[in-house]
Every structure is written in structure tokens, then in C-alpha cells.
Amino acid sequence: MMTGYTPTSEQQVIIDHAGSAFVKACPGAGKTRTMIERTLRVLKNSEDRRGVAFLSFTKAAVEEFQERLRQYDILPTRLFPSVISTFDSFLWQFLFAPFGIPGCDQIPRLIPDKNSWEVKPFEGAQPLKLNCFDRVTAKADPKLLAEANFDVEKRKIGPYESRARSIIENARRQGQVDFDDVRAMVQERLSDAAFAKRIGDALSARFAEIIVDEAQDCNPSDLAIVDWLRKSGMVVKLICDPNQAIYQFRGGVTDELERFSSTFEKETHLVMSGNFRSSPSICSAIVALRPPSLRENPDKPLGRFRDDQTPVHILSYTGTVSSKIGTEFQSLVNAAGIPLSSAPIVASTHLSACKAIGQPVLDRTEHLTLSLADAVMSYQFAFSTGNLRSALINLHRTILLVRQQISSPGDYNKYLVSNGLDDGSWRPEVIALANKLRFEGTDTADGWLNNARTVLGPGLAGNSTINQRLKKSQNLTDGLLTPPVSSSPAQTIHSVKGLEFPAICVVMTAQTAKRILDVFDGTSVDSSEDARKIYVGASRAQRLLAIAIPKSQSARLCELFKSTGCLIEIHQI
């Protein structure tokens, strides 16, 4: 046991539990520390020299676990035979890469954005993304077609499925895979009983336990693999908070996870309800941000902010999302003595979060000039708001599009792999171009455009001129603005999942606020995933939580929070 650590009774049960378990943990439950204690318990068994595999679904969660191990000075220099990795990396390392692609002699190459590849059966056809098609059968998913506004009544899907099949087969021959392919091929191999037994025996010989953190982020394929691990005789512990399931876009599970939990014996269903992250008011707000049927086990504030009486701030705004939200939140953050860099403003979409800090963001467009302006502004704002790495990648991708070196955004990683480009080889040039493309307060939109043409003209591929690639647009002025000296980072809720911050502001929009509150008061389930996003965002806060909501719905949110004993303060902005 680590010095100074006294586990709760719930945590102690988990630390002592030797077999498989299904663990439900509230936000801030101390699961990382608890899992570290469990790992120590396993590794101290001198009669069993096997390791522990700690798996999660985001790099942030994996890095946090590694950092905690370093803080406690218990991360061995040579980690073997233990493993700390994402679930994706575990599949790649142990169940895919050693065996290659069935029927292909090429070394597998990972193309992370393969789902974004365009499927166009002929010139002028409406492009669809590859994620609309099953990787095994190439059949289109009706739901995803509807989301892509593809009219199946007016357009024939057959040519698209044929084109998708050709793309999938050609990529497989070339060894180009993403993790959707990996899952499909792993399941294909595990359907071979003899192979499944051999690999199961090998993993059992290496790992005493496998811990799957953030299990609500599993998709059905992941659950099938976890089920196979258990049936192969391995001890598996699943740690989850079903209220944080926000990955339906990648096939994430909700009801499936609950059904899967029934495969665990009743006595192996364990809970962690103590919240070591947040203040009492934030804990009460988190309880209110669950459907009524899931509030029976309220979070208990147990951490360093357990006596903090800071209220939850409701920012009631009129009109659309604007920089007034960011200004009001900045005042609250400054008054609390919290650095702005540790106080993000988050929303379901990057667009809404950016609007709340005053960062210009243009609607999604194929107009290259507007796309370039948006990428340049995102990069410039990143110096005061964070997200610098992702902004630089986005700018690189956009420059390649302008120069016709790629034909669609989904070709970006394929281009990097084909040209053998790693981060170090392309970054210096792109940073130099970014500095030349800066927008200054004295610039005009026309002046910036002329400069962009001069900067990006050299190196242009294809037959188009730079003026044909970067055309004038009357909307360009709206997309250019000098960044502030300092500001809260603008991030999506997905990007902060698994993290924690001294302060956070969650933005709800007029388009979804009413439907989300309908979920919270139990009158609807239609927007359950949108509701879970608000829950995830709010539960990142330690001391200061603000929720920006349209004035038409602010009274409902106030009553909701009062019903769970949450202290609130309303700001009309």
C-alpha cells in the first residue's frame, strides 16, 4: 500500500478482489489510484511473475496512468511483462501485427483517417465517406447515409457499394489499415478455435490480470474481444461509468454494456461512489445531469474540495453563442485565481466552443480560401488558447489541399505514409508557412488573400493556378480576426474526456438545450447522447463549474440543480 493512502471501503473491496469484476465508478472516484493499488497487489505476488495489462480508450487516460505511476515512483524502467496502452494499441501489438493481414504479404501500415476517404463512383457524384460502408461486406449503413443527406430514393447506392468494395480491397492489398480493419481482422482470426486457444494461452501466460478502463467507450467489437479474453481464462476487470458513453459515432455501446454486465456474477458487480475531484455543488450538479433512474447512488465529495462552497454558475444568455460567454467566464476564473489555461470552455462542437471565446470559425465549406483562413486562425488562436498541435496538423492538411497534393481531407495520413513523412520532417516548413500566413490587425481581407497566394503559389501541383485555387469570397472578412493576448482554450467535450480542470465552462446551444433537459427530467430519451456529453463536460470540473444555456431554458436548469441540493448563482449575459 502506498504511504499516505487510505482507501474507502468501496475501493478496498476492489483492491482485494482477485477475480474478474464489473466496476461502476462515478467521476473522480479515484479509480486510477485504486487500479494502481490493485496492480501493486498483483505484482507483489512472488509466486506469479506475470504482469498486468492496463488498457483504456484514449491516450490521455493512458498517459495519466503512466504519470501517476511515475509520481508514486513505481513505474519500472523495464515495464515488461506488464503493458500500459490504449485498447487499439493492445489489439495491434498482440492480436494483429504479429500475424499480418490475411492474404496480404505487405507490412501493415496504419492510416488513422481511413474512415474519411471519399467514395465517389463517378465524377460529379455526391461524395460519401468510407465510414458509411461495412469493412467486410461494403454494404452501406442506412443510418449513416441519412446523416450524410444521401437520398436513397433518388440515388442508387449500388455503384457506391461497388466503389467502396474496390477501395477496401485495394487498401487491404497495399496493407493500409485503420483500427476498424484491425477489429474486423482480429475477430476473423479469433473465429478460428485453434488459433484463438493458442493466442489465449499465450496471453494468459503473460498477464495475471487485464484492466479495461473507460469501458463505456467500447463498441460491440471491443466487447466481443473482452468476452473472449474472459472465456480464455484471463482475469478481466471492466471499469466504467455508463453515463459517460459518448462515442456512438464509432459504434459505442450504451444498452449493450448493461447487457454485457449481466454476464458477470452478481457478487462481482462493484461500485465506487466517492468523488475525490469535485466540490459539493459540482457533485450535486453531476447527479442532476443523469436521467432520474440513475440518481439512486449520489456522488459523495471526498477530496480536497469537499468543503468548498463555491456555487455552480449558470450563464443565461440571449441570442446565439457569442464571446459574451467567454468574457463572463473569464471574470469568474480570474476572481477565483485560476489560470485561464486551466479553464477551458467546452461544447459538443468545436464551432460552438470557438464562438464562446470570440474565435472566428467559418461553417464547414469546400471553398479553399475560407478553409485556409479558418486553419490559419485556429493556429494563431492556439498560442493563447492551446490545441497547438492539432491546429498545426489541420493547417498542414489545408495547405496540401490548396496545393492539390491531396484531393480530399481524408487523404492526409495516406499522403504522409506514402511519402515517409513524420512530424519532424514536415513541421518546420509548415511552421514557416504559418508565420507568413499570419493575419495582423492592420491587414485587410484582400491583402491577406493576396499574400496567401504569393506564399502558397510555389509548389502548386495540378493544372490550376493559385488564383483559381484561392478565390475571393465575400465571407472572408468574417473569418479573420486578431487573437486575444490570453483566453480560455476552446475545446470539444470529446477532447477533454478523461481529464480534469480547476474550472470549466460547458456551453449548451439553443438547438439542443430543450431536448437535453427533457432527458434530465425524464420526459424523453431522444437526445440521450447529447445529454451525456453535458454530463461528461461538467464532471471535469474541480472547483468552478459554469454552464452557459439559452435564457429560454435557464429556469429549467436552475430547478433541476436545486432538486439535488446544488448551490447556484445565475448570471444574465
Side-chain angles (χ1 to χ4, degrees):
M1 195 74 66
M2 282 180 273
T3 304
Y5 174 61
T6 304
T8 66
S9 57
E10 292 175 340
Q11 291 173 332
Q12 190 65 57
V13 168
I14 294 166
I15 293 168
D16 294 338
H17 189 81
S20 294
F22 186 91
V23 183
K24 285 187 179 180
C26 74
K31 56 187 173 126
T32 301
R33 184 71 177 262
T34 303
M35 288 303 105
I36 288 173
E37 290 290 344
R38 177 60 201 163
T39 299
L40 285 174
R41 179 71 60 85
V42 173
L43 297 181
K44 284 182 178 179
N45 182 357
S46 59
E47 296 180 1
D48 189 341
R49 308 310 299 168
R50 293 177 297 169
V52 173
F54 177 88
L55 313 177
S56 195
F57 289 84
T58 64
K59 289 182 179 179
V62 170
E63 289 169 357
E64 180 191 10
F65 192 79
Q66 291 173 325
E67 181 59 30
R68 294 285 186 89
L69 289 173
R70 291 190 187 95
Q71 287 176 2
Y72 303 135
D73 197 27
I74 56 174
L75 182 64
T77 303
R78 294 185 64 184
L79 193 60
F80 185 87
S82 295
V83 166
I84 305 172
S85 78
T86 62
F87 195 84
D88 285 341
S89 296
F90 180 83
L91 295 183
W92 182 279
Q93 181 179 353
F94 293 102
L95 298 174
F96 177 73
F99 313 104
I101 301 171
C104 174
D105 57 5
Q106 297 293 316
I107 297 174
R109 294 183 295 172
L110 185 63
I111 310 292
D113 54 5
K114 187 174 175 180
N115 262 330
S116 298
W117 287 4
E118 283 191 351
V119 177
K120 287 177 65 174
F122 51 86
E123 191 63 34
Q126 175 187 344
L128 293 174
K129 291 183 178 179
L130 189 61
N131 73 323
C132 292
F133 303 86
D134 184 273
R135 288 297 173 83
V136 177
T137 66
K139 292 294 182 182
D141 184 317
K143 181 180 178 182
L144 294 177
L145 290 180
E147 292 177 2
N149 296 315
F150 186 88
D151 191 336
V152 293
E153 300 295 330
K154 295 181 179 179
R155 291 185 173 91
K156 293 182 178 180
I157 194 61
Y160 284 87
E161 292 177 336
S162 296
R163 177 59 183 152
R165 185 176 298 105
S166 176
I167 291 173
I168 292 168
E169 291 174 352
N170 187 55
R172 185 163 176 161
R173 283 194 295 270
Q174 296 181 43
Q176 298 173 340
V177 298
D178 65 4
F179 283 113
D180 284 349
D181 296 316
V182 170
R183 280 166 171 76
M185 293 178 199
V186 166
Q187 287 189 297
E188 180 183 335
R189 288 192 180 278
L190 292 181
S191 64
D192 180 336
F195 173 86
K197 185 177 187 312
R198 287 198 305 273
I199 194 67
D201 290 345
L203 292 176
S204 294
R206 175 162 176 176
F207 300 113
E209 287 193 9
I210 295 179
I211 299 168
V212 182
D213 189 26
E214 304 287 357
Q216 72 277 353
D217 295 339
C218 288
N219 60 30
S221 295
D222 299 332
L223 287 183
I225 293 168
V226 171
D227 190 45
W228 168 77
L229 290 170
R230 287 174 62 212
K231 289 177 178 176
S232 296
M234 281 167 268
V235 171
V236 177
K237 287 184 170 66
L238 256 67
I239 322 294
C240 68
D241 178 359
N243 296 290
Q244 295 192 54
I246 60 171
Y247 284 104
Q248 279 189 347
F249 68 87
R250 64 175 287 272
V253 297
T254 49
D255 296 339
E256 294 98 326
L257 184 61
E258 287 298 314
R259 287 194 292 271
F260 186 65
S261 71
S262 66
T263 65
F264 288 76
E265 298 296 329
K266 186 176 180 180
E267 60 271 18
T268 68
H269 283 240
L270 310 177
V271 297
M272 285 191 279
S273 59
N275 188 321
F276 290 85
R277 173 184 300 155
S278 304
S279 67
S281 288
I282 294 173
C283 285
S284 296
I286 292 169
V287 174
L289 296 176
R290 297 172 182 149
S293 62
L294 299 177
R295 296 177 193 158
E296 72 281 355
N297 194 23
D299 300 7
K300 307 176 187 69
L302 301 177
R304 56 180 172 147
F305 300 115
R306 61 184 177 274
D307 297 320
D308 190 304
Q309 293 304 302
T310 303
V312 170
H313 297 272
I314 296 178
L315 312 185
S316 175
Y317 68 90
T318 57
T320 59
V321 174
S322 74
S323 60
K324 292 180 180 178
I325 293 171
T327 300
E328 186 70 22
F329 182 57
Q330 184 168 336
S331 297
L332 295 171
V333 172
N334 288 338
I338 297 171
L340 282 172
S341 59
S342 300
I345 293 179
V346 301
S348 180
T349 66
H350 185 59
L351 175 63
S352 293
C354 288
K355 284 182 177 179
I357 66 167
Q359 178 178 339
V361 179
L362 298 164
D363 292 335
R364 286 188 178 277
T365 176
E366 294 185 2
H367 196 295
L368 287 175
T369 301
L370 299 182
S371 295
L372 180 64
D374 187 60
V376 169
M377 283 293 93
S378 293
Y379 179 72
Q380 282 188 238
F381 266 75
F383 284 93
S384 61
T385 66
N387 308 318
L388 189 59
R389 183 177 184 277
S390 61
L392 188 63
I393 291 172
N394 182 46
L395 180 58
H396 185 206
R397 182 189 297 112
T398 306
I399 289 172
L400 293 176
L401 282 168
V402 170
R403 286 178 160 174
Q404 290 184 282
Q405 291 171 310
I406 60 175
S407 58
S408 72
D411 292 333
Y412 178 66
N413 278 288
K414 184 164 57 173
Y415 172 87
L416 296 182
V417 170
S418 298
N419 289 275
L421 298 178
D422 56 23
D423 285 357
S425 58
W426 63 259
R427 278 187 179 180
E429 179 190 0
V430 175
I431 290 173
L433 291 173
N435 291 332
K436 294 177 182 178
L437 291 168
R438 285 183 62 84
F439 177 80
E440 306 292 351
T442 55
D443 290 341
T444 64
D446 284 345
W448 178 86
L449 175 57
N450 288 333
N451 177 61
R453 289 168 171 170
T454 301
V455 170
L456 298 183
L460 195 68
N463 298 319
S464 302
T465 66
I466 190 63
N467 285 19
Q468 291 172 324
R469 301 297 291 171
L470 293 178
K471 300 176 182 178
K472 286 192 175 185
S473 169
Q474 61 182 8
N475 296 325
L476 181 58
T477 301
D478 297 334
L480 297 169
L481 186 70
T482 304
V485 175
S486 62
S487 174
S488 289
Q491 297 180 239
T492 64
I493 290 172
H494 282 99
S495 70
V496 300
K497 190 174 182 296
L499 305 178
E500 59 183 30
F501 304 92
I504 199 165
C505 177
V506 182
V507 179
M508 298 175 69
T509 66
Q511 289 77 18
T512 60
K514 181 183 182 302
R515 297 198 303 271
I516 288 172
L517 290 178
D518 288 344
V519 174
F520 293 147
D521 66 20
T523 59
S524 173
V525 295
D526 290 342
S527 297
S528 294
E529 175 147 346
D530 287 329
R532 290 193 294 270
K533 290 177 187 176
I534 304 304
Y535 172 88
V536 167
S539 62
R540 305 305 94 202
Q542 296 172 314
R543 289 176 50 203
L544 175 61
L545 169 63
I547 296 186
I549 187 169
K551 186 176 182 179
S552 62
Q553 301 299 320
S554 60
R556 287 183 68 191
L557 183 62
C558 290
E559 291 304 312
L560 178 68
F561 282 167
K562 288 178 181 178
S563 71
T564 58
C566 177
L567 296 176
I568 59 172
E569 186 174 314
I570 305 171
H571 306 254
Q572 302 292 341
I573 61 175

